[in-house]
């Protein structure tokens, strides 16, 4: 059974903000959905009961059988996976991204945590979490942003990537989304952990205008949802407008925003906002509800839209 919750934000009677993360674990006919509830100050809301939630599957209401609040004291080990998209971050943002990420990751990487860092041309077969803080920070420190710079820097780029800019742009987008899928898949194989995927990128245009998420990211969304991995996207460039609806021409950010929403994570733009986005991510990892309901459909192997308010 594969269940894909949609990420919604709604106001409840007690004024908390609720986000249904794309993280489920089917057990027979029972399905568990990870859900974050915060008040207007961004603080976790405790004490909610099953009756305080409304859950629908494919638009049809389903009773919530259990609502378990889990906080830091009951958490599993955290696994922080960073995909640093050097291909889609301008070189001018490289130093500021390094300067922002290094102290944030260092401050939030605690004893018992694991992490991994992947860049576009890293071998996917070597993706393994580590508890080595020095190796983690060294990988971030070597981040080399080069959006629009197609000068080959590796043997792979010289031999196998076309030299026409349009073809190289498409190849780069495919490489990054393959890395995202591989990381999400690796995280999904781990047990007794609370994984999260962090994508640092300014994104790339959608390839099919009829979808909110481009085709090459749709498969990454599916893998992340199956693996119970929310994706938090940090875009170094600030939004051209404070109103997302007014920024629809910025297709790179639009696709990243949709990707984060469809996996149950969040989108943050502007390096100056990274600290706030990271704090939100940590809060949502450490304090959340696990809702349990019975799937109304057979084990059909399909994705089903789950909404929680």
């Amino acid at each position: 059974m594969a269940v894909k919750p949609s990420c919604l934000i709604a106001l409840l009677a007690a004024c908390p903000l609720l986000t249904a993360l794309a993280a489920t674990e089917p057990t027979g006919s029972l399905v568990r959905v990870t859900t974050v509830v915060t008040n207007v100050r961004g603080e976790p809301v405790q004490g909610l009961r099953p009756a305080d939630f409304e859950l629908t599957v494919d638009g049809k209401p389903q009773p919530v059988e259990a609502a378990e609040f889990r906080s830091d004291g009951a958490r599993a080990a955290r696994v922080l996976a960073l995909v640093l998209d050097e291909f889609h971050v301008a070189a001018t943002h490289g130093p500021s991204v390094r300067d922002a990420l290094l102290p944030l990751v260092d401050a939030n990487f605690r004893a018992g945590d694991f992490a991994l860092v992947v860049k576009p041309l890293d071998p996917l077969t070597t993706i393994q979490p580590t508890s080595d803080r020095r190796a983690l920070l060294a990988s971030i420190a070597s981040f080399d942003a080069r959006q629009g710079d197609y000068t080959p820097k590796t043997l792979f780029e010289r031999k196998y990537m076309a030299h026409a800019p349009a073809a190289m742009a498409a190849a780069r987008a495919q490489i990054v989304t393959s890395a995202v899928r591989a990381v999400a898949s690796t995280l999904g194989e781990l047990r007794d952990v609370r994984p999260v995927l962090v994508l640092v990128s300014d994104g790339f245009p959608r390839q099919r205008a009829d979808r909110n998420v481009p085709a090459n990211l749709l498969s990454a969304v599916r893998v992340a949802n199956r693996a119970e991995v929310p994706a938090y996207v940090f875009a170094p460039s600030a939004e051209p407008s404070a109103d997302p609806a007014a920024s629809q021409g910025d297709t790179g950010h639009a696709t990243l925003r949709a990707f984060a929403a469809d996996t149950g994570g969040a989108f943050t733009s502007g390096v100056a906002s990274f600290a706030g986005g990271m704090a939100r991510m940590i809060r949502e990892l450490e304090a959340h509800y696990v809702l349990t309901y019975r799937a109304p459909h057979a084990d059909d192997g399909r994705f089903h839209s789950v909404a929680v308010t």
Side-chain angles (χ1 to χ4, degrees):
M1 180 188 304
V3 179
K4 173 192 172 186
S6 58
C7 179
L8 300 181
I9 299 179
L11 281 174
L12 301 181
C15 292
L17 290 173
L18 180 148
T19 303
L21 298 184
T24 63
E25 181 178 329
T27 305
S29 61
L30 293 178
V31 180
R32 299 191 303 172
V33 181
T34 301
T35 305
V36 174
V37 186
T38 57
N39 60 22
V40 292
R41 296 180 297 278
E43 302 163 339
V45 175
Q46 302 186 41
L48 298 180
R49 301 168 298 174
D52 294 319
F53 296 90
E54 294 181 0
L55 185 149
T56 64
V57 179
D58 298 331
K60 299 179 180 179
Q62 302 296 325
V64 176
E65 298 191 2
E68 177 189 0
F69 181 77
R70 298 184 180 179
S71 61
D72 182 59
R75 68 173 176 85
R78 301 180 308 186
V79 181
L80 176 66
L82 292 95
V83 178
L84 304 183
D85 181 7
E86 297 174 325
F87 286 162
H88 300 98
V89 174
T92 53
H93 286 307
S96 59
V97 168
R98 292 192 297 269
D99 291 345
L101 284 182
L102 283 168
L104 288 174
V105 173
D106 190 31
N108 290 290
F109 189 71
R110 304 182 306 199
D113 286 349
F114 294 87
L116 60 89
V117 177
V118 175
K119 297 167 188 172
L121 294 177
D122 288 347
L124 301 184
T125 55
T126 64
I127 298 176
Q128 290 295 333
T130 178
S131 59
D132 188 336
R133 180 188 297 268
R134 289 186 178 181
L136 168 63
L137 298 180
S139 295
I140 297 172
S142 64
F143 175 68
D144 181 21
R146 52 191 179 112
Q147 185 179 40
D149 179 0
Y150 298 114
T151 305
K153 295 188 177 183
T154 66
L155 178 63
F156 174 83
E157 290 177 295
R158 287 194 298 269
K159 293 183 63 175
Y160 300 108
M161 291 184 69
H163 296 290
M168 291 190 71
R172 284 184 167 190
Q174 186 60 47
I175 288 172
V176 172
T177 52
S178 295
V180 171
R181 289 196 301 269
V183 168
S185 180
T186 297
L187 295 176
E189 295 172 358
L190 305 178
R191 294 292 176 264
D192 300 322
V193 298
R194 185 78 173 113
V196 62
L197 190 154
V198 174
L199 172 61
V200 178
S201 174
D202 270 322
F204 31 85
R206 63 174 65 95
Q207 294 179 349
R208 288 158 59 177
D210 60 332
R211 292 187 181 273
N212 291 326
V213 181
N216 52 4
L217 268 181
L218 281 175
S219 58
V221 169
R222 295 188 180 105
V223 172
N225 284 339
R226 285 186 183 276
E228 306 180 26
V229 178
Y232 288 76
V233 178
F234 292 80
S237 295
E239 292 276 26
S241 168
D243 180 10
S247 305
Q248 291 182 352
D250 180 15
T251 56
H253 281 192
T255 55
L256 292 179
R257 186 182 293 277
F259 173 64
D262 285 354
T263 59
F267 174 85
T268 299
S269 64
V271 175
S273 301
F274 278 16
M278 187 71 68
R280 171 182 175 174
M281 183 186 78
I282 297 300
R283 285 197 306 269
E284 294 183 353
L285 282 178
E286 296 181 351
H288 54 271
Y289 286 86
V290 176
L291 307 183
T292 303
Y293 71 95
R294 291 190 179 275
H297 47 75
D299 185 1
D300 54 15
R302 298 178 179 178
F303 284 87
H304 296 269
S305 177
V306 178
V308 182
T309 55

